[in-house]
Amino acid sequence: MTQSLIFDMDGTLFQTDKILALSLEDTFNQLRLQNKWNDATPIDHYREIMGVPLPKVWSTLLPNHSEEVREEANAYFLERLVKNIKDGQGALYPHVEEVFQYLKENQYEIYIASNGLTDYLNAIVNYYQLDQWVTETFSIQEIKTLDKADLVQHIMKKYEISQGIVVGDRLSDFRAAKENGLKAIGCRFDFARKEELSEADLVIEDLMELQSIGNK
């Protein structure tokens, strides 16, 4: 039987940190020019909440601002992220292509489920040509609840998946797996937290470990 793997994007496949600081600094510089921000850029705060849907990001980073300002900041941030990706400022984690090739050759179906927005995800997929391995990439934008468990459920229904694995780095990934009866593999990468990784069935240090997935 074909097994399915559903991967998170940020902090699992894509080294978001390489463009995060650049894009966030650009965004808060824009807010400063508009006299809507006069403190330091809250990059550390963003790293702490990495993995949550963007509406929650901006309500957290800009708690005293209007929804209109948050939406403008989000749009500008997305624009800068996409530009930095297209300019080659980002990077995949080591061995992504090699592992994806191995998985496809061994009859695994690969999907991506991310809290990132569609344009951002498309920029990554297109720049690194991930669609040669990935069956489909799904954004949290497709789900009204903005709940990753519901996004994974949507993928399972669309592709009639009855068993599989969610590979991610944050609690939302592991809970999405558990709530849908799937196995959870945690990646101890940039944004991972020890207390959250304890919720995963298995923790890996390198994506190459997925090559022995059938023996885990």
Side-chain angles (χ1 to χ4, degrees):
M1 181 181 293
T2 300
Q3 181 141 287
S4 300
L5 281 89
I6 301 173
F7 285 85
D8 175 46
M9 179 67 89
D10 293 313
T12 300
L13 298 176
F14 185 68
Q15 296 187 57
T16 315
D17 213 28
K18 288 186 176 295
I19 62 168
L20 181 62
L22 275 173
S23 304
L24 205 64
E25 190 65 46
D26 288 343
T27 303
F28 278 85
N29 280 337
Q30 180 74 358
L31 289 170
R32 291 184 188 99
L33 288 173
Q34 298 170 344
N35 295 315
K36 295 174 181 177
W37 188 262
N38 55 18
D39 294 323
T41 300
I43 181 65
D44 290 336
H45 199 176
Y46 194 2
R47 288 191 178 105
E48 290 174 4
I49 62 173
M50 193 70 193
V52 303
L54 280 172
K56 187 173 181 181
V57 165
W58 294 107
S59 65
T60 302
L61 297 185
L62 300 173
N64 302 317
H65 291 69
S66 68
E67 192 60 34
E68 180 182 3
V69 171
R70 292 173 187 167
E71 289 177 359
E72 289 173 356
N74 182 50
Y76 190 81
F77 181 59
L78 177 61
E79 178 185 312
R80 301 310 299 172
L81 284 171
V82 169
K83 183 179 187 305
N84 285 326
I85 291 165
K86 291 180 177 179
D87 287 347
Q89 298 293 326
L92 298 176
Y93 279 97
H95 313 302
V96 168
E97 295 103 326
E98 185 177 351
V99 169
F100 274 11
Q101 184 64 31
Y102 171 85
L103 293 172
K104 288 299 288 185
E105 288 175 353
N106 285 273
Q107 308 305 309
Y108 286 88
E109 289 296 323
I110 301 170
Y111 306 90
I112 293 173
S114 173
N115 283 334
L117 300 184
T118 302
D119 289 347
Y120 166 72
L121 297 173
N122 286 343
I124 297 172
V125 169
N126 292 336
Y127 187 85
Y128 297 101
Q129 300 180 353
L130 296 181
D131 53 1
Q132 62 186 299
W133 302 291
V134 177
T135 300
E136 189 170 352
T137 298
F138 295 83
S139 165
I140 200 68
Q141 276 184 293
E142 301 174 44
I143 302 297
K144 290 182 179 179
T145 62
L146 299 181
D147 187 324
K148 199 159 196 178
D150 293 339
L151 182 60
V152 168
Q153 183 182 65
H154 170 66
I155 297 170
M156 293 176 69
K157 285 182 177 179
K158 180 171 182 177
Y159 286 96
E160 300 181 345
I161 297 169
S162 59
Q163 64 176 14
I165 299 168
V166 174
V167 183
D169 68 318
R170 298 305 300 264
L171 189 59
S172 61
D173 302 308
F174 313 142
R175 288 185 173 169
K178 299 300 178 64
E179 290 180 26
N180 287 287
L182 304 179
K183 188 174 181 179
I185 292 182
C187 299
R188 200 189 309 274
F189 297 166
D190 295 320
F191 302 105
R193 291 181 159 189
K194 183 178 180 180
E195 66 273 18
E196 294 183 357
L197 288 171
S198 67
E199 299 285 329
D201 296 302
L202 175 70
V203 176
I204 62 175
E205 309 282 346
D206 189 306
L207 290 171
M208 286 293 286
E209 294 178 57
L210 293 177
Q211 291 193 358
S212 58
I213 200 170
N215 301 318
K216 300 290 186 183

